[in-house]
Amino acid sequence: MTKVLIVYTGGTIGMKQDSASMALVPFDFAQILKEVPELRKFDLSIDAYSFDPAIDSSDVKPAFWVELAELIRDNYSRYDGFVVLHGTDTMAFTASMLSFMLENLEKPVIITGSQLPIGVLRTDGRENLISSIEIAASQRPDGKPYVPEVCVFFDNELYRGNRTFKYSAEYFNAFKSPNYPLLAEAGIHINFNEPAIRHPASWGHPLSISTKLDTRVGILKLYPGMPQQYVDTVLSTKGMRAIVIETFGCGNAPGEAWLLDKLRKAVDEGIIVVNVTQCAAGSVDMDAYATGMTLKNIGVTSAYDSTFESAVTKLYYLLGKYDDNGTVKDKMSENIRGEFSKKQ
Ligand code: ASP
């Protein structure tokens, strides 16, 4: 019998209203099982594990990712697929981070949650949970899983985890992946978009996890009128090994000499400066405009069409793995887990 492990980490799906403050607080997993008796109808063996304490995903941090990766590793041989219940707020960070930490992944890890708690009448949690379990258990006729990837499932759509970002704080279709097609859609049937799904080059490799994460990454979001002093503060923060600059359009920055000088100085000091666009869709292309070309000439690294979440977590992973910034810089330009499409 196909075996699926559900891991409840927290998030709205399992929250309830605190009677004093009326705010939503993480509840316990038994509640979810009670609210979804349909789980018993599956012709699957389903086990559940709950983080203690369950957290609001705003509290996600590297120690949480390590705990989750270790849990998947420790249970990897016993299950055919994993469903991770997670708050939506930082779900895209966790999906991206896990995609890098889980090396040689050959089984589905489907991350889902909901916008309304599972105990609420109009909840989206029940459908998200049931379809995620079905996807995690789905196998091709040759017995291999359909989606041996870290994915986000939400509102009938299955996305590659590291291509996804939270788009709506309100709608049931809370996630989007504008730069990569859906991996599956749930209607009457679950329709897998097989050409878009990433498969291992060869099967049968043991899972390994990379748990050393280095978070010495600063973020500089560009905006018209930003004061020099502010840029100074970000770029001169002690100990940073990388800076992600969130640029305009296809990777452009103001052409003012003071800004370019500061960025050049950072690159010359060995800091990896990574260019991510502020646009939700499309790619950095530093050859398109003179303002982007200048960044390229300084030695800024393109994140192509990566999401912000993916670029940041890829840096955490690579900086943890390699002490040498030059190696990290080279690897940032390599497509490791299908996280970007590089225009040649
Ligand atoms: N604050 C919640 C969380 O991310 C929101 C959600 O689950 O949708 O944990």
Side-chain angles (χ1 to χ4, degrees), residues 10-13 15 55-58 86-90 114-115 166:
T12 298
I13 192 163
M15 287 186 178
I55 57 165
D56 185 298
S57 78
S58 302
H86 193 288
T88 56
D89 290 347
T90 60
S114 67
Q115 294 281 56
K166 185 172 179 182

Short mmCIF file of all heavy atoms in Angstrom, two decimals, residues 10-13 15 55-58 86-90 114-115 166, ligand 1:
data_model
loop_
_atom_site.label_atom_id
_atom_site.label_comp_id
_atom_site.label_asym_id
_atom_site.label_seq_id
_atom_site.Cartn_x
_atom_site.Cartn_y
_atom_site.Cartn_z
N GLY A 10 2.11 23.97 11.24
CA GLY A 10 1.37 25.12 11.76
C GLY A 10 0.67 25.84 10.61
O GLY A 10 0.47 25.26 9.55
N GLY A 11 0.31 27.09 10.84
CA GLY A 11 -0.38 27.86 9.79
C GLY A 11 -1.88 27.82 9.97
O GLY A 11 -2.43 27.04 10.76
N THR A 12 -2.54 28.68 9.20
CA THR A 12 -3.99 28.88 9.33
C THR A 12 -4.78 27.58 9.26
O THR A 12 -5.78 27.41 9.96
CB THR A 12 -4.47 29.81 8.19
OG1 THR A 12 -3.81 31.05 8.35
CG2 THR A 12 -5.97 30.04 8.23
N ILE A 13 -4.33 26.66 8.41
CA ILE A 13 -5.11 25.42 8.21
C ILE A 13 -5.46 24.76 9.54
O ILE A 13 -6.56 24.25 9.71
CB ILE A 13 -4.35 24.46 7.25
CG1 ILE A 13 -5.26 23.32 6.79
CG2 ILE A 13 -3.04 23.93 7.83
CD1 ILE A 13 -4.78 22.58 5.56
N MET A 15 -5.35 26.45 12.60
CA MET A 15 -5.49 27.45 13.66
C MET A 15 -6.94 27.57 14.15
O MET A 15 -7.86 27.15 13.47
CB MET A 15 -5.02 28.82 13.15
CG MET A 15 -3.51 28.92 13.01
SD MET A 15 -3.01 30.60 12.57
CE MET A 15 -1.24 30.43 12.54
N ILE A 55 3.69 26.32 14.53
CA ILE A 55 4.01 27.76 14.48
C ILE A 55 3.24 28.50 13.38
O ILE A 55 2.82 27.90 12.40
CB ILE A 55 5.53 28.00 14.24
CG1 ILE A 55 6.01 27.32 12.95
CG2 ILE A 55 6.33 27.57 15.45
CD1 ILE A 55 7.37 27.82 12.48
N ASP A 56 3.09 29.79 13.59
CA ASP A 56 2.68 30.67 12.51
C ASP A 56 3.91 30.77 11.61
O ASP A 56 5.02 30.92 12.10
CB ASP A 56 2.34 32.06 13.09
CG ASP A 56 1.79 33.01 12.05
OD1 ASP A 56 2.51 33.33 11.08
OD2 ASP A 56 0.65 33.46 12.22
N SER A 57 3.73 30.69 10.31
CA SER A 57 4.91 30.58 9.45
C SER A 57 5.74 31.86 9.41
O SER A 57 6.83 31.88 8.87
CB SER A 57 4.54 30.13 8.04
OG SER A 57 4.00 31.19 7.29
N SER A 58 5.24 32.94 10.00
CA SER A 58 6.09 34.14 10.14
C SER A 58 7.27 33.85 11.05
O SER A 58 8.26 34.57 11.04
CB SER A 58 5.28 35.30 10.71
OG SER A 58 4.18 35.56 9.89
N HIS A 86 1.62 23.94 6.13
CA HIS A 86 2.50 25.07 6.46
C HIS A 86 1.69 26.35 6.30
O HIS A 86 0.81 26.44 5.43
CB HIS A 86 3.65 25.04 5.44
CG HIS A 86 4.83 25.91 5.73
ND1 HIS A 86 4.78 27.28 5.61
CD2 HIS A 86 6.10 25.60 6.08
CE1 HIS A 86 5.99 27.78 5.91
NE2 HIS A 86 6.81 26.78 6.20
N GLY A 87 1.99 27.36 7.07
CA GLY A 87 1.36 28.67 6.88
C GLY A 87 1.72 29.22 5.51
O GLY A 87 2.78 28.93 4.97
N THR A 88 0.81 30.02 4.98
CA THR A 88 1.05 30.53 3.63
C THR A 88 2.07 31.67 3.59
O THR A 88 2.69 31.90 2.56
CB THR A 88 -0.27 31.04 3.00
OG1 THR A 88 -0.83 32.04 3.86
CG2 THR A 88 -1.25 29.92 2.79
N ASP A 89 2.23 32.39 4.71
CA ASP A 89 3.03 33.61 4.67
C ASP A 89 4.46 33.38 4.17
O ASP A 89 4.98 34.17 3.39
CB ASP A 89 3.06 34.27 6.06
CG ASP A 89 1.71 34.86 6.44
OD1 ASP A 89 0.84 34.98 5.55
OD2 ASP A 89 1.53 35.21 7.62
N THR A 90 5.09 32.35 4.64
CA THR A 90 6.48 32.10 4.20
C THR A 90 6.60 30.74 3.50
O THR A 90 7.69 30.19 3.39
CB THR A 90 7.45 32.13 5.41
OG1 THR A 90 7.07 31.12 6.34
CG2 THR A 90 7.46 33.49 6.10
N SER A 114 -3.80 26.73 3.94
CA SER A 114 -5.10 27.29 3.55
C SER A 114 -5.21 28.74 3.99
O SER A 114 -4.44 29.20 4.83
CB SER A 114 -6.24 26.46 4.14
OG SER A 114 -6.25 26.60 5.54
N GLN A 115 -6.18 29.40 3.42
CA GLN A 115 -6.45 30.79 3.79
C GLN A 115 -7.47 30.86 4.93
O GLN A 115 -7.52 31.85 5.65
CB GLN A 115 -7.00 31.57 2.57
CG GLN A 115 -6.01 31.74 1.43
CD GLN A 115 -5.00 32.84 1.69
OE1 GLN A 115 -4.31 32.81 2.71
NE2 GLN A 115 -4.90 33.81 0.80
N LYS A 166 3.89 34.05 -2.70
CA LYS A 166 2.55 34.35 -2.20
C LYS A 166 2.09 35.64 -2.85
O LYS A 166 2.73 36.68 -2.73
CB LYS A 166 2.53 34.47 -0.67
CG LYS A 166 1.10 34.67 -0.15
CD LYS A 166 0.98 34.59 1.36
CE LYS A 166 -0.46 34.82 1.77
NZ LYS A 166 -0.66 34.82 3.21
N1 ASP B 1 -0.05 33.68 9.36
C1 ASP B 1 -0.38 32.42 8.77
C2 ASP B 1 0.91 31.65 8.56
O1 ASP B 1 1.60 31.87 7.59
C3 ASP B 1 -1.10 32.60 7.50
C4 ASP B 1 -1.53 31.35 6.78
O2 ASP B 1 -1.32 30.23 7.20
O3 ASP B 1 -2.17 31.48 5.76
O4 ASP B 1 1.25 30.81 9.36
#
